[in-house]
Amino acid sequence: MATASAQRIIQEGIARLQAVGMGHVRHEVEWLLSRLVGARPLELYLRDAPIPTPTVERFFSQIDARAAGIPLQYLLGEAEFFGERFAVSPGVFIPRPETEVIVDAALGFLRERERRLGRPLQLLDLGTGTGCIAVTLARALPTCVVVGVEVSWVALRAARQNVHRHGLSARIRLVQGRWGAPLRGGFDGLIANPPSVPSGQVDHLPLDVRREPRVSLDGGPDGMRELASLMEQAPRLVRGGGVVAFECGEDEVSELVRAASAASWVEAVAPIRDLSNRPRGALIHLR
Ligand code: GLN
């Protein structure tokens, strides 16, 4: 490459990703370069100065990693959730827009619940990952206290970083453990995005999804193993009148709704749908 202008290396980056069959890559490529250069994506095109060689080399090594299926968010070291930035690294599940729908549905109920009870809510985020759910809840409900439980120490480190970054260390407590095992009850709400992909489908997920921790994806033979275990723990953890919001795959929603309707502690259950009306989880009200 004669001169390493931003324009030129962006073109080359796009070409390398397209060569492995990826589409709509301009945005990703601009993001990677702008992060390395420390400029906003549009500013890249206005620069006259050539990009320094070490930056060009780092850029292409990231492009090649992306071409090999490493998720963009792992290369950037962060992901966006509810308009906020969250640190993420390999070994940690990447926040998804689908989860925003679940948190939003839970918040609709929790705001009202807080008003009615007239005291700060105590909330529980099981399998906290980056901590994106816990942080979003704590930002939206400025007096609530959230406990985040996470089994993976790598994820717990990311969660700790994110809680700190958002200045919420006083209201979010992070605990290492498996689901509700380390906890006593008394929570007003439980929100979780447990693994719910049937084991046999995990190996057929897109390449970049398979770079995420399997433990965050694999929900056992029928995808329901962890959801069933959480359903068993929910009535011990959550107070009467409280709410449980679970995210799961479209195929698992009907099974979850069926199981909840049959449970003695459930007052009402409704599927949570996204903007295109696809079921993404369920909102379960406790008696
Ligand atoms: N709670 C985290 C999230 O929703 C992690 C979920 C998971 O690992 N399945 O992003």
Side-chain angles (χ1 to χ4, degrees):
M1 209 170 299
T3 52
S5 75
Q7 180 106 10
R8 255 187 102 107
I9 68 171
I10 287 171
Q11 280 314 330
E12 168 72 15
I14 291 173
R16 287 195 196 183
L17 295 187
Q18 285 173 341
V20 296
M22 292 173 64
H24 309 289
V25 292
R26 175 175 293 275
H27 197 65
E28 294 197 18
V29 171
E30 290 174 349
W31 256 109
L32 285 173
L33 185 61
S34 70
R35 291 272 305 190
L36 292 175
V37 171
R40 273 178 295 193
L42 274 176
E43 287 166 4
L44 291 173
Y45 295 99
L46 305 172
R47 290 169 57 103
D48 287 331
I51 310 284
T53 307
T55 308
V56 175
E57 281 166 3
R58 274 216 69 178
F59 170 75
F60 283 116
S61 87
Q62 293 197 334
I63 290 290
D64 293 342
R66 187 70 191 103
I70 306 291
L72 178 68
Q73 292 89 339
Y74 286 168
L75 297 170
L76 295 171
E78 60 180 35
E80 216 185 271
F81 187 78
F82 246 87
E84 296 294 322
R85 279 148 65 162
F86 289 85
V88 67
S89 63
V92 186
F93 187 75
I94 299 169
R96 308 270 202 282
E98 288 85 341
T99 307
E100 297 179 347
V101 179
I102 308 301
V103 174
D104 214 34
L107 276 174
F109 173 85
L110 293 171
R111 284 204 182 88
E112 175 58 23
R113 184 84 185 142
E114 185 187 58
R115 205 187 51 75
R116 200 159 343 134
L117 292 175
R119 60 160 173 80
L121 297 181
Q122 304 216 26
L123 303 175
L124 178 56
D125 169 13
L126 290 183
T128 203
T130 55
C132 63
I133 294 178
V135 165
T136 305
L137 292 170
R139 285 175 53 89
L141 299 164
T143 60
C144 77
V145 171
V146 189
V147 173
V149 181
E150 172 55 51
V151 73
S152 144
W153 289 101
V154 181
L156 206 59
R157 197 179 329 125
R160 214 162 262 146
Q161 204 178 328
N162 286 319
V163 167
H164 185 76
R165 188 193 267 199
H166 286 92
L168 290 166
S169 310
R171 289 194 294 121
I172 299 180
R173 208 159 70 85
L174 296 169
V175 183
Q176 195 277 338
R178 235 191 106 60
W179 301 141
L183 304 171
R184 279 189 284 174
F187 293 95
D188 300 297
L190 156 59
I191 292 90
N193 174 21
S196 66
V197 180
S199 305
Q201 289 176 24
V202 175
D203 292 328
H204 304 287
L205 292 169
L207 188 58
D208 48 2
V209 178
R210 279 184 278 136
R211 301 281 186 168
E212 293 184 77
R214 193 179 179 109
V215 65
S216 305
L217 299 164
D218 191 337
D222 59 355
M224 292 298 297
R225 188 185 55 210
E226 305 307 320
L227 280 159
S229 148
L230 287 173
M231 281 293 285
E232 215 174 280
Q233 298 179 37
R236 178 178 70 79
L237 297 168
V238 184
R239 295 169 193 261
V243 76
V244 171
F246 288 142
E247 177 173 352
C248 60
E250 204 170 330
D251 294 342
E252 288 71 42
V253 174
S254 50
E255 178 54 25
L256 178 59
V257 169
R258 199 201 54 71
S261 316
S264 60
W265 50 274
V266 172
E267 167 86 33
V269 53
I272 300 169
R273 296 178 184 278
D274 66 14
L275 289 175
S276 41
N277 211 31
R278 298 170 91 100
R280 294 287 182 192
L283 201 61
I284 302 167
H285 298 272
L286 274 80
R287 253 185 231 288

